[in-house]
Amino acid sequence: MEESKQPKYCKYLRAKNPYGMLEGGENPWMIPFESNTICWCIKSSGASGPDNGLVHPDKCVEGRSCYKPAFD
Amino acid sequence: MDKRKEIFPHGIPGHNLGEIEREIPNDEPPAWPINDKLKVVGKRIRRNDALAKVTGSAKYTSDIQLPGMLYAKMLRANVPHAKILSIDTSKAERHPGVRAVHVFTSDDEGSKYQDVKYAGQPLAGVAADSLDIAKEAVALIEVEYETMPFVIDTEEAMKEGAPLVYEEPIGEQTDGGDVGVTHDGSEGKGNLRGPTTSSFLGGARGDLDQGFSEADVILDRTYRTQVHTHVPLETHGVVIDWKPDQMTVYASTQSTKGVRDGLASYFDLPKNKVRVICEFMGGGFGAKHSAGTFGPMAAELSRKSGRPVWLMLDRKEEHIAEGNRPNSIHHLKIGAKKDGTLTAIQQKSHGTAGVALGAGVGRIAQGLYTCPNFSTEQYDVLTHAGPGAAWRAPGNVQGAYGLEQAIDEIADMLKTDPLVLREKIDPSEVRKVLRQRGAKSFGWKYRPPGSDTGRIKKGIGVAQSTWPRFVNLDSTVEVKMYSDGTVEVRSGVQDIGTGTKTILAQVVAEELGLKAEDITVRIGDTIFPDAPGSGGSIVTGAITPPARNAAYLVKQKLFNQVAPQLETEPSMLTVSDGMIMHKEDASKKISMRDALRRMRTGQIEASASRSDDYGGFQQPWGLAYGDLGSVQFAEVSVDTETGFVKVERITAAHSCGRPLNISQIESQVNGGVIQGVSYALYESRVMDNKTGHMMNANVDQYRMPYAKEIPDIDIVLVEEYSARSSTDAYGIGEPANIATAAAVANAVYNAIGVRLYEIPMTPASILKALNKVEQ
């Protein structure tokens, strides 16, 4: 099977906008991002991640120090 | 899947009602006729939990009492920006009655603790034998801060050199989306993020320069809205009982599934080891979709103490840390021809959701009116204040406040009745009917701005809104029929006070030929099938079709058992008034109760999940065709000596597909209108820019309307059949709230002849506008 070209989001990312909730890693269907989308990290329970950086689908991807994949 | 063709009602009764043929799955029921031919659906059925609510027997999360339960309180940062050097909990741990203490730590490779980014950020928590002891113990926790510069004011935060909320660049992007270079010169290293230039409706269109060159009039304005907190009657909170085999969570939530999945992720637990229950819920308005910080804290304290833990936030915590509607500085440049035709809309906005994102002004300028040339730039401004959250039609209320005043101003420039202008530029058929019926009910007769005489001036205004029809396909319902004649509906979906329990009973009762009170509805528990969170006005359109479809399937199972007894085929049976009967031979019939008693098994059941809309979606993730429109009319009185504004009456004309329960829809609209009036005139978060603290974090100085300040609300409900699902019904939570503030603002302008470009419109701001006090 061809590997998905979508970014691999951190499993702790959550984002919500009026048409639903994105769960990082598992089912990132809620693209495109919009100006009213709220993002938070499950692990830090807030808008800044464990590394004090901004939580956002652009940011919560492989390479960030606090990133955790959906499946180890 | 096998399909068949069915004829459905289509259109608006009294306007253009007709029929349409749709192809539908074979396992879904035939089309219902319009509401006046139905017995239960579309009627004023009393809420099935009304008695429990009015007698106080309904148990909300804060009412939950479990054996051995502890009470918890969280410690919150008292500075807006700092690094934490140490947190000493030793005195709290030794305090008599304290059973567990937990400190939030960061498992990142940097600091042991996360940086503080707003005053009120939770740091630690205590569980004790009583709430008073927990509060005493929290006060004994010692935190050593290294404070850092901070910025609260939105426009100060936009300046180069302002204290940064995030030290790392916030504008960089990796996914090829639409975030460009910021306009403050920071290239993503400042507090400005954006612009967002598109939505699911698309991006910029046409040629703005060409559009403005074709215009006879051009309006160029900036509209401002305040930060608005949610203030649900019931604050955020949970009661968590973490036993070895399962974590049980009683939550005040808009999404049982969201809380379950969040806590399962946080603690790396299988989802089936977390059970979330929300039987009754005291309001959310968008901010209660997750476990927040209080959920993990209560769970940690329960794990450490081995006892259930109650953790409900107080009103101050609710204001400062659990979400708000971001403010907006909303610039609109609109061109129009003399006949009203819009030639160009250029939109630019800035707003702050504090430390979070999501402060845009929505899609309403993009989609409400016909205009060939459009562009938007929407920026988030990060500040050291509590995070924003979804708030009843996120962004679109701020967007409507600007757009609908701008349209009013263009009507003024063209010396046209603003309702007539909207008739010219609005392509929506349903809003045409809403305008006609709403104007008639309101008694709309336009008069020029400022034409009323005397000290108390009256004015009228109108504003419109649009809201998409969203459908969440992860929506499942199970229907069970028992041999004792009882019927049960089960789903994980929660009722946040809107009446979901009741509409599920109505839909199933209609399908089974029973009464709504014959149906027991068990929802708000993740042991039942998954269902969506209550947001985006999504629930009614997502959950009622599978409820009806599951009832239809279980009815077919019963027919299969009954048919031989009546010496006929299952396809020849129908239901009505508690009876199963032959469609053509009246002598062949049996009561539903007797039929169930004779079943070979003690129960039969069926479940169904939301299928695609008939005819498909606009976009495959669940954007349905159609619109949830509204047109609201306001009449106000303005005392030009004191500046007090009284909203005398609102006529709210709405559509939401097939109405399921008229009383409940009216309740939703009443709530939306009241919140809109309050947004226009009263509510506003006031921050101290020098300390970073909210100064009115209560329900006294955070002004809300008293009963006498609530207007008379006249609701005009328009049925609209679009034949997209087995119930053809949609929600109305968001649409009820979008247009109100703009309608009130337009009415105030009409009364005094001077427009205010900022809400809330307080007595002081009215007097300033009238030049009756010093500027």
Side-chain angles (χ1 to χ4, degrees), chain B residues 55 80 94 105 127 148 173 190 251 262 341 354 380 394 431 468 471 487 589 618 691 723 730:
Chain B
T55 59
R94 290 196 299 270
T105 56
M148 294 190 281
Q173 71 170 52
T341 305
D380 276 288
R431 273 194 302 275
V471 173
V487 180
K589 61 184 177 183
Q618 283 193 65
T691 64
Y730 298 91

Side-chain angles (χ1 to χ4, degrees), chain B residues 533-551:
Chain B
S534 299
S537 302
I538 232 169
V539 165
T540 299
I543 203 73
T544 61
R548 186 188 172 202
N549 299 348

Side-chain angles (χ1 to χ4, degrees), chain B residues 537-603:
Chain B
S537 302
I538 232 169
V539 165
T540 299
I543 203 73
T544 61
R548 186 188 172 202
N549 299 348
Y552 173 75
L553 291 172
V554 79
K555 186 176 73 176
Q556 301 310 307
K557 287 185 178 181
L558 186 59
F559 282 178
N560 288 338
Q561 294 196 33
V562 168
Q565 298 168 34
L566 296 181
E567 298 177 331
T568 187
E569 295 297 315
S571 62
M572 293 307 295
L573 296 176
T574 189
V575 292
S576 181
D577 296 330
M579 300 295 291
I580 300 173
M581 60 195 74
H582 195 279
K583 290 176 182 173
E584 296 172 355
D585 182 351
S587 69
K588 292 182 176 179
K589 61 184 177 183
I590 183 172
S591 73
M592 181 78 77
R593 188 168 287 271
D594 279 347
L596 289 167
R597 193 175 297 131
R598 295 181 193 184
M599 290 193 305
R600 282 174 290 187
T601 54
Q603 57 180 256

Side-chain angles (χ1 to χ4, degrees), chain B residues 474-497:
Chain B
D474 188 10
S475 305
T476 302
V477 180
E478 182 182 30
V479 176
K480 286 189 170 196
M481 301 182 84
Y482 293 88
S483 57
D484 65 355
T486 52
V487 180
E488 195 172 272
V489 181
R490 296 173 162 207
S491 174
V493 70
Q494 55 292 312
D495 185 340
I496 64 166

Side-chain angles (χ1 to χ4, degrees), chain B residues 50-265:
Chain B
L51 191 63
K53 286 185 171 177
V54 300
T55 59
S57 64
K59 297 295 181 200
Y60 292 78
T61 301
S62 61
D63 298 321
I64 299 296
Q65 294 284 320
L66 300 174
M69 190 175 81
L70 302 174
Y71 294 83
K73 188 73 181 170
M74 289 203 285
L75 173 71
R76 294 177 181 275
N78 61 8
V79 295
H81 193 198
K83 289 194 179 299
I84 295 176
L85 303 178
S86 66
I87 299 179
D88 182 352
T89 60
S90 57
K91 289 179 184 170
E93 288 167 17
R94 290 196 299 270
H95 194 63
V98 169
R99 305 298 173 183
V101 177
H102 182 73
V103 176
F104 282 130
T105 56
S106 170
D107 55 5
D108 196 55
E109 51 202 36
S111 166
K112 182 179 178 184
Y113 309 103
Q114 273 202 265
D115 289 354
V116 172
K117 292 187 184 295
Y118 66 94
Q121 182 174 315
L123 306 177
V126 171
D129 292 342
S130 74
L131 187 56
D132 284 342
I133 294 172
K135 288 178 180 175
E136 291 164 6
V138 159
L140 296 174
I141 298 175
E142 294 173 358
V143 182
E144 189 179 359
Y145 298 103
E146 178 186 318
T147 58
M148 294 190 281
F150 62 91
V151 62
I152 301 296
D153 181 77
T154 307
E155 285 162 285
E156 289 297 319
M158 289 162 59
K159 294 178 179 172
E160 274 191 86
L164 294 179
V165 179
Y166 293 93
E167 290 174 13
E168 294 297 313
I170 57 173
E172 182 187 342
Q173 71 170 52
T174 57
D175 66 353
D178 59 3
V179 176
V181 175
T182 55
H183 66 78
D184 64 347
S186 68
E187 296 183 344
K189 292 176 185 169
N191 293 316
L192 201 60
R193 193 178 199 284
T196 299
T197 57
S198 66
S199 72
F200 63 78
L201 297 176
R205 59 178 183 260
D207 181 334
L208 277 183
D209 290 341
Q210 178 71 23
F212 285 121
S213 72
E214 293 170 358
D216 295 311
V217 295
I218 295 176
L219 178 86
D220 200 341
R221 290 280 189 267
T222 299
Y223 306 89
R224 292 168 183 261
T225 63
Q226 74 280 40
V227 174
H228 182 198
T229 66
H230 294 70
V231 205
L233 278 177
E234 181 189 34
T235 59
H236 285 69
V238 290
V239 177
I240 295 188
D241 187 8
W242 195 340
K243 294 282 196 298
D245 61 333
Q246 178 177 280
M247 180 196 295
T248 303
V249 182
Y250 301 87
S252 175
T253 183
Q254 294 176 245
S255 178
T256 55
K257 185 177 69 170
V259 172
R260 178 199 63 192
D261 294 355
L263 288 170
S265 284

Side-chain angles (χ1 to χ4, degrees), chain A residues 14 23 35 43 49-50 58-59, chain B residues 106 114 169 193 265-266 378:
Chain A
R14 295 291 186 277
E23 283 197 17
S35 65
K43 206 62 184 172
D58 287 351
K59 302 284 185 183
Chain B
S106 170
Q114 273 202 265
R193 193 178 199 284
S265 284
Y266 188 97
Q378 300 185 24

